[in-house]
Amino acid sequence: MGFPEDASLHGHLLDRLYGHAFWLTLAAFLAVVAILGWCLVRYRARPGRLPTYTHGSGRGALLLSLGLAFAVFVGIDLNLALEDHRVFDALVGTPPDPAKAFRIQVMPQQFVWNVRYPGEDGEFGTDDDLTTLNQIHVPAGRPVLVELRSMDVVHSFFLPHFRIKQDALPGLTTRAYFQATKTGTYEVACAELCGLEHYRMRGFLHVGSEEEVAEWIARTREEYGADQELWRAWTRMKRESD
Amino acid sequence: MNAATGTARLMRPAVVYGWLAVLTAFELAVVRVPLGRGATASLLVGSALAKAALVVLHFMHLRIEGRILRAIALLPLLLVVAFVVALIPDIGARR
Amino acid sequence: MTAEAVDLERPATGVASGKLGVWIFLASEVMFFGALVGSYLVLRMGSASWPLPAATLDTTLLGINTFVLITSSVTMVNAVRAAERGDLPAMRRSLLATILLGGTFLGLKAFDYAHLVGGGITIGSSLFGACYFTLTGFHGLHVLGGLVTLVSLLLFSRRPAFARRIAWIENAGLYWHFVDVVWIVLFAILVLL
Amino acid sequence: MTPGAHPRPAGLLARVFSTDHKVIGKQYLFTGIFFLFFAGLMALLIRWQLAYPFRSVPLVGGLLFGKGGIMGGEHYTMLFTMHGSLMVFFAVTPILIGAMGNFVVPLQIGARDMAYPRLNATSYWILFAGGLVMAASFFVPGGAASAGWTNYPPLSSDRGVTLGQGQTLWLLGIVLAGTSTLLGAINFVATILNLRAPGMTLRRLPLATWSYFFTSVLNVLWVPVVAAALILVLLDRVAGTSFFLAGANAPFEGGQPLLYQHLFWGFGHPEVYILILPVWGILSDLLSVFSRKPAFGYRVSVIAMAAIVAVSGIVWGHHMFTSGMSPLLGKAFVLLTLAVSVPTALLFLNWLGTLWKGSIRFEPPMVYALGIVFVFAVGGLTGVFNALQAFDIYIHDTYFVVAHFHYTLAASVFLGSFAAISYWFPKMFGRRMNARLSVVHFLLSFLLLNVVFLAMFRMGIAGMPRRVADPFVYEYLQPMRGWSVLAGWGTLGLGLVQLLFAWDFFRSLRAGPAAPANPWGAATLEWSVASPPPPHNFERTPRVAGGPHEYGRPGPGGRDWVPQDEEVSLT
């Protein structure tokens, strides 16, 4: 259906929701176009053609209106709204259990993604952390919990292959979570206008096995380290209600 | 201007003036008495609404105006209150 | 029936066009001040610390100011009633009183601002300062606009054409009372709360 | 402020600062057309950049973007910001509400002029001043505004981030345009309520006037809210306040950027209904005139429009599904937004009901009107996708949303403006436009806009983020290059086709054949006076006896319609 390849656990639910909505609205669209086309051909002005004088305010018209209103509300609105709530709960509504999830912190800054891994002790802000730029490595098969706080303006953490998007705001913590099913390298896009080089804010999401990710983190830590200075801005933006 | 009977249902300006003065004094007093925050807030808001109603109904003659002017006055008020209340869970709750 | 006569005599809703227009304008003003006051309320609820107004503001001075504005509303009502009676001299006296009281209100407000700025609270010093100066500032601008209107009405009342424009006094009165109502609300939730 | 017998200024001053609603309507029309053309050129530049990113722009590249003619990221951001802002506030609003509303409403209700003629002139000149400020914002250091027409803080309000004065001028320009629209809306509501001729009851108002009433009610209520939001951003930029600044570089804590999004979209969604409502009203009337048949379900249409006005104020959250708004609010907004499809479906029923068993004449206004029914069907139905919170998580801020609002705005309102201009051109200027040219213009425009915006839908499904100067830095979007080139050439074609209409419009102003008082055989009051109407519209205030859509009944003298102000003996 034209979507990028789906590599997430719940992504297919969204594709299916799109399919249902597509066929329902297409049916309504074809009905409108069919009646429109029929009227233009059948009722075009011709010599001797007399229009039927009616204000369409009789009982029949009223019943037709009520019937259509009911059909549209129940057939399209309620139908899609209920499915949407189910898909939303599965896709975004139920945050994973932090203990089991693979947690990272992402702090977008004008035109780069700062990413922090907690390291073995599972705590952020300790010396075994790792900070990288635009490179996110996550394990497949395990829910990933991403905490987002922006350093300057509003950015939006967009993973098209995982069908999720979450704005990152300064002074507010937002969360995004997904579970990868396929390994491989995918792209991270910034979906909220964040400045003159908004288009350059591209990141990479590498999905590997647990071992590969752990080994990558250990290897990269010698090179990059924790860079605590950068993350002082992160703690300063903490709000009680986060 | 207004029909003679209409203005009869409006309080005389002096009486309204009296009430407004009393309520203002009351508000100043309430702030000095150490009641709980909630009590002080509700008393102050109550007094402010009373004063506002007095001015709108009696000084602005809304009490004797037709349906159209009452609707024009009431509609934006309801919209604003609904809009602000809708913001509370999203902005107000972010302590 | 001359062309213009129809519009004056028999507006379709029975409400004179001038008054109808002022009430619609006041509806938009309710939305404007509602947005500002609503933003202040939710920002205040959502901020960790907020200075207690009683400690930072001179509430007695602002109390007197509220009293001044209420009195100006009363003198405005007297001006409108005098105009309806056709007693123009009485109307001019009441109108002048309203203008002087409005001027006093702005004077006391300027004094309050100077006192605050002197004490280090400015529009850019804290969110409280920003909200206080923005809300009372826009209210002050509206009082100033009202004063300009009332002064021009006072001058216009000397001209004979004024006789057919009595309704303008009532319309200006509606606006002035609205400005008083906005201050009543601001006084309670901004100054005292 | 009542329309007393104020002395009429004489000479040039009278024409320039006229308080006649017809002259002011034409001033709005020409200003709107100028900005429509100006913002349309920007669309061409935007599509060039998306089709051939960072390649030298032909012809105007050197002039606009310096040597090499390559459009940089900053130019691109300014272009789409100003394209959006100018189209919404300085092209569509002036043409549909300022020009057509001002010209048509007093005539349709049998009034001499608007309720407050001087306020009407003031509104136009405030918009004119706003237009100058917007145009000037291109030439100040730092360039024009670059935070999108939505102007989200902290990007828009943080001096450290958006340096240029253009952003501050933009805020001033939009507040001026908002003030002009607000004062105009007060004028419209008072006029439609108070200045209806004897007999013109609310049930006999033409649907176009009803839609102008609803549009103005929305304007009166919601323009002040966006004015407040933009003023707070202006204070953040100029006075050092921090309403919407938060995080690391906020001067003091407590500011919340989300508050701006609530205030903006609280106004934002009613604004899109403000722009589409006049199109619905004009469309309903045109379908009735050219099917020679009363509008189907008049009362249901008015109730449906009123319902949409009511609902439009409580659905703004669907713009903020991914913005960190609490999901509880999100779920409420899904159902409220979907509820809008019910009154819209009723409007479609009434449009098709009007065509059913009619005698359809394919005059230019009707051809545009039929085009609107088609494109608004696409636009309205794709709105359902955006209302679904889960699906919106994926397509928010992608080209799917851009395609949706271009179908409702750039297609429906675009064709609506052409329908209104071609319908009332004879009445406004006393001359006829060339029917064949108009139909050709419609067919080409209709074809090309569908090409461009369907290509946008395809790119949106593929997840192409909007407002991105070069979407093809992303690997997953490489397959979309072809679609973007197609959209680019389609836009170029669409732009060239508009020259056709512009040429016919300006030529007919002087050289068009003289137009009779009632070229379309329409029943509403504006067609009962000469073309162009005399300064005071009606010698004698008309007495309205019938409804606005009395077509299809054989009347005296071979006419098949009964004008509203004619006593008809019900045999």
Side-chain angles (χ1 to χ4, degrees):
Chain A
M1 292 287 268
F3 291 98
E5 176 214 358
D6 166 29
S8 76
L9 186 62
H10 300 300
H12 63 284
L13 292 176
L14 184 126
D15 302 353
R16 228 156 26 109
L17 173 66
Y18 169 74
H20 293 158
F22 180 81
W23 293 115
L24 278 171
T25 44
L26 186 66
F29 176 69
L30 291 181
V32 167
V33 172
I35 298 170
L36 180 66
W38 168 260
C39 289
L40 298 190
V41 173
R42 176 68 179 76
Y43 302 118
R44 68 186 186 288
R46 294 189 295 277
R49 161 115 201 95
L50 270 178
T52 308
Y53 178 80
T54 163
H55 277 280
S57 51
R59 269 173 47 76
L62 202 59
L63 287 176
L64 190 61
S65 301
L66 289 176
L68 178 74
F70 183 76
V72 162
F73 187 72
V74 171
I76 295 181
D77 297 349
L78 278 186
N79 184 357
L80 288 177
L82 292 176
E83 181 181 357
D84 168 68
H85 286 176
R86 273 203 314 280
V87 171
F88 178 78
D89 284 341
L91 207 63
V92 180
T94 47
D97 166 13
K100 289 207 294 301
F102 180 83
R103 292 171 57 233
I104 55 173
Q105 288 180 345
V106 171
M107 182 159 70
Q109 186 184 5
Q110 265 184 329
F111 316 122
V112 289
W113 302 92
N114 301 308
V115 187
R116 176 158 70 169
Y117 301 80
E120 282 79 22
D121 63 4
E123 288 306 316
F124 290 103
T126 54
D127 285 339
D128 72 342
D129 292 359
L130 163 65
T131 298
T132 61
L133 213 58
N134 291 345
Q135 297 298 334
I136 306 176
H137 283 248
V138 295
R142 188 150 69 109
V144 175
L145 176 58
V146 181
E147 271 187 11
L148 291 153
R149 275 185 218 161
S150 161
M151 219 145 101
D152 36 40
V153 292
V154 181
H155 299 268
S156 187
F157 184 71
F158 179 31
L159 301 178
H161 298 279
F162 299 83
R163 307 295 187 265
I164 59 149
K165 177 185 288 127
Q166 182 54 56
D167 284 12
L169 296 123
L172 185 71
T173 306
T174 50
R175 286 166 186 76
Y177 17 85
F178 60 94
Q179 182 164 335
T181 51
K182 298 198 189 92
T183 59
T185 300
Y186 306 98
E187 283 166 306
V188 179
C190 176
E192 184 64 58
L193 176 61
C194 58
L196 302 181
E197 267 88 36
H198 163 58
Y199 70 95
R200 270 192 318 116
M201 215 170 146
R202 173 175 179 236
F204 297 92
L205 180 74
H206 305 278
V207 180
S209 65
E210 298 281 347
E211 302 72 27
E212 281 165 5
V213 170
E215 186 266 337
W216 177 80
I217 290 176
R219 182 159 41 82
T220 322
R221 185 175 304 111
E222 280 78 32
E223 244 175 290
Y224 289 97
D227 190 357
Q228 300 296 6
E229 178 54 32
L230 175 73
W231 294 89
R232 185 158 299 115
W234 174 277
T235 40
R236 209 149 32 83
M237 286 191 282
K238 178 106 182 57
R239 293 185 79 99
E240 290 151 31
S241 61
D242 284 350
Chain B
M1 280 296 123
N2 318 330
T5 54
T7 48
R9 287 167 48 232
L10 292 178
M11 287 160 68
R12 289 201 326 282
V15 174
V16 177
Y17 188 26
W19 274 111
L20 291 176
V22 162
L23 284 172
T24 308
F26 167 73
E27 282 172 11
L28 283 167
V30 158
V31 171
R32 279 167 181 60
V33 169
L35 298 166
R37 269 190 59 75
T40 319
S42 45
L43 283 174
L44 284 176
V45 169
S47 161
L49 290 181
K51 284 161 58 179
L54 275 172
V55 171
V56 169
L57 292 178
H58 296 285
F59 283 173
M60 299 168 83
H61 310 311
L62 199 61
R63 189 179 164 95
I64 53 169
E65 290 295 353
R67 265 181 313 105
I68 289 178
L69 288 188
R70 285 218 195 98
I72 290 175
L74 200 62
L75 185 65
L77 207 60
L78 296 178
L79 267 179
V80 160
V81 170
F83 191 73
V84 171
V85 165
L87 292 195
I88 291 175
D90 205 32
I91 309 282
R94 310 252 181 203
R95 299 215 47 80
Chain C
M1 275 195 306
T2 63
E4 274 76 18
V6 156
D7 314 332
L8 285 178
E9 266 163 20
R10 197 209 43 70
T13 57
V15 179
S17 288
K19 179 189 280 191
L20 184 66
V22 168
W23 271 103
I24 300 169
F25 173 64
L26 293 185
S28 72
E29 290 283 70
V30 165
M31 293 300 287
F32 179 71
F33 278 105
L36 288 180
V37 169
S39 302
Y40 153 67
L41 283 176
V42 286
L43 278 176
R44 176 169 180 176
M45 279 184 228
S47 66
S49 67
W50 197 269
L52 205 56
T56 44
L57 294 170
D58 177 354
T59 46
T60 39
L61 172 75
L62 292 165
I64 295 164
N65 228 0
T66 309
F67 198 72
V68 162
L69 208 56
I70 287 171
T71 317
S72 75
S73 253
V74 177
T75 53
M76 190 70 216
V77 169
N78 294 339
V80 171
R81 293 166 81 100
E84 279 161 19
R85 291 197 311 272
D87 178 354
L88 292 193
M91 183 210 72
R92 281 195 205 102
R93 277 196 304 279
S94 298
L95 207 54
L96 189 61
T98 309
I99 291 166
L100 292 178
L101 285 164
T104 318
F105 175 81
L106 285 183
L108 288 178
K109 177 136 287 310
F111 178 76
D112 172 54
Y113 278 1
H115 168 69
L116 276 177
V117 169
I121 297 181
T122 65
I123 197 165
S125 68
S126 71
L127 192 58
F128 168 75
C131 289
Y132 181 78
F133 279 99
T134 306
L135 290 179
T136 51
F138 271 104
H139 174 262
L141 282 177
H142 279 76
V143 169
L144 195 62
L147 281 185
V148 167
T149 315
L150 293 181
V151 165
S152 50
L153 264 180
L154 185 61
L155 299 178
F156 181 54
S157 71
R158 299 206 183 293
R159 301 237 308 277
F162 179 74
R164 285 190 301 114
R165 286 286 166 265
I166 297 292
W168 285 3
I169 290 288
E170 189 192 352
N171 298 340
L174 289 179
Y175 174 81
W176 191 255
H177 295 313
F178 171 76
V179 161
D180 183 20
V181 166
V182 171
W183 176 253
I184 285 170
V185 171
L186 285 184
F187 180 62
I189 59 172
L190 189 67
V191 172
L192 296 180
L193 208 53
Chain D
M1 289 195 284
T2 49
H6 42 70
R8 286 231 182 273
L12 178 65
L13 211 59
R15 284 189 54 75
V16 171
F17 294 101
S18 157
T19 58
D20 177 3
H21 71 104
K22 298 182 282 301
V23 172
I24 294 172
K26 289 172 191 164
Q27 289 169 333
Y28 269 115
L29 183 62
F30 290 113
T31 310
I33 286 178
F34 169 74
F35 278 111
L36 188 71
F37 187 76
F38 191 44
L41 288 182
M42 295 180 194
L44 288 180
L45 293 171
I46 292 169
R47 285 310 329 170
W48 168 267
Q49 171 74 357
L50 291 174
Y52 307 101
F54 297 114
R55 279 173 46 191
S56 169
V57 178
L59 298 177
V60 293
L63 176 70
L64 291 176
F65 309 113
K67 62 173 178 39
I70 293 175
M71 180 195 305
E74 71 285 5
H75 297 122
Y76 179 79
T77 315
M78 288 175 210
L79 277 176
F80 69 69
T81 301
M82 294 308 276
H83 171 74
S85 319
L86 291 180
M87 277 298 190
V88 169
F89 292 105
F90 289 90
V92 171
T93 306
I95 290 177
L96 264 181
I97 301 172
M100 294 305 150
N102 256 318
F103 186 86
V104 162
V105 164
L107 284 168
Q108 283 198 338
I109 59 172
R112 296 274 169 302
D113 202 317
M114 295 289 278
Y116 320 110
R118 277 172 301 204
L119 183 67
N120 204 13
T122 316
S123 305
Y124 171 72
W125 290 104
I126 291 175
L127 179 87
F128 189 82
L132 290 183
V133 167
M134 295 299 272
S137 73
F138 278 93
F139 307 108
V140 290
S146 56
W149 87 282
T150 47
N151 187 42
Y152 277 8
L155 176 62
S156 60
S157 60
D158 185 340
R159 293 300 296 276
V161 170
T162 322
L163 305 165
Q165 277 83 19
Q167 185 67 36
T168 312
L169 283 183
W170 180 90
L171 289 166
L172 187 63
I174 299 293
V175 167
L176 284 175
T179 313
S180 157
T181 311
L182 172 63
L183 296 179
I186 293 170
N187 218 336
F188 272 117
V189 172
T191 304
I192 295 171
L193 281 182
N194 248 5
L195 269 61
R196 284 171 286 128
M200 178 58 85
T201 61
L202 292 181
R203 251 198 295 280
R204 290 179 179 154
L205 273 182
L207 285 170
T209 304
W210 262 117
S211 65
Y212 281 112
F213 174 71
F214 287 124
T215 297
S216 303
V217 164
L218 278 179
N219 264 325
V220 165
L221 291 176
W222 292 104
V223 163
V225 174
V226 76
L230 293 181
I231 286 167
L232 293 182
V233 171
L234 196 61
L235 288 174
D236 273 8
R237 280 186 71 83
V238 170
T241 60
S242 151
F243 294 107
F244 304 129
L245 294 176
N249 44 22
F252 41 80
E253 58 87 23
Q256 300 203 28
L258 265 187
L259 175 60
Y260 172 87
Q261 295 184 20
H262 277 290
L263 288 173
F264 181 82
W265 289 115
F267 151 82
H269 203 73
E271 168 66 14
V272 299
Y273 282 110
I274 284 167
L275 298 174
I276 198 74
L277 266 162
V279 174
W280 291 343
I282 293 168
L283 177 63
S284 307
D285 278 351
L286 289 190
L287 292 180
S288 171
V289 169
F290 293 98
S291 305
R292 306 315 295 164
K293 181 172 171 290
F296 189 88
Y298 175 94
R299 286 161 61 90
V300 170
S301 290
V302 172
I303 292 164
M305 281 199 261
I308 286 176
V309 164
V311 171
S312 70
I314 52 175
V315 293
W316 76 88
H318 57 244
H319 296 276
M320 298 168 61
F321 281 146
T322 65
S323 70
M325 178 176 73
S326 61
L328 191 65
L329 275 177
K331 287 209 166 121
F333 282 121
V334 170
L335 211 57
L336 286 171
T337 308
L338 285 173
V340 172
S341 58
V342 173
T344 313
L346 291 181
L347 284 175
F348 267 98
L349 174 73
N350 289 345
W351 293 331
L352 296 175
T354 308
L355 294 170
W356 190 263
K357 287 204 172 75
S359 166
I360 298 168
R361 293 202 207 129
F362 294 99
E363 305 266 3
M366 183 55 159
V367 164
Y368 287 119
L370 295 170
I372 299 171
V373 176
F374 182 91
V375 288
F376 188 69
V378 177
L381 285 169
T382 48
V384 169
F385 293 85
N386 294 320
L388 302 175
Q389 186 168 15
F391 188 62
D392 185 69
I393 299 284
Y394 172 68
I395 55 165
H396 179 70
D397 267 337
T398 66
Y399 262 84
F400 191 95
V401 174
V402 175
H404 162 68
F405 68 67
H406 273 89
Y407 254 102
T408 48
L409 252 179
S412 311
V413 172
F414 195 66
L415 293 178
S417 306
F418 289 122
I421 290 174
S422 62
Y423 182 60
W424 279 303
F425 187 93
K427 185 53 66 181
M428 284 178 101
F429 301 105
R431 292 182 181 281
R432 304 281 310 254
M433 290 180 72
N434 181 310
R436 235 178 299 95
L437 269 179
S438 294
V439 172
V440 166
H441 165 256
F442 163 73
L443 291 174
L444 291 175
S445 295
F446 182 77
L447 186 70
L448 288 166
L449 64 84
N450 274 301
V451 163
V452 174
F453 301 141
L454 283 177
M456 278 189 185
F457 270 126
R458 179 64 193 84
M459 291 187 270
I461 287 291
M464 178 191 283
R466 69 190 274 202
R467 295 171 165 170
V468 164
D470 175 9
F472 305 111
V473 295
Y474 294 106
E475 206 46 48
Y476 76 96
L477 288 176
Q478 292 312 324
M480 291 301 121
R481 275 189 188 274
W483 290 98
S484 191
V485 169
L486 173 69
W489 290 102
T491 310
L492 182 66
L494 191 59
L496 293 178
V497 164
Q498 301 323 309
L499 295 181
L500 205 63
F501 184 86
W503 180 74
D504 181 29
F505 177 83
F506 289 106
R507 185 186 57 77
S508 309
L509 277 180
R510 271 170 198 72
N518 197 344
W520 318 109
T524 42
L525 286 181
E526 79 266 28
W527 302 103
S528 65
V529 288
S531 302
H536 273 303
N537 299 350
F538 303 93
E539 283 75 27
R540 190 183 45 70
T541 309
R543 295 197 63 74
V544 175
H549 304 122
E550 287 309 314
Y551 304 109
R553 269 199 315 199
R559 278 183 323 186
D560 69 343
W561 84 89
V562 177
Q564 275 200 281
D565 59 351
E566 195 175 285
E567 304 296 334
V568 65
S569 55
L570 286 179
T571 48

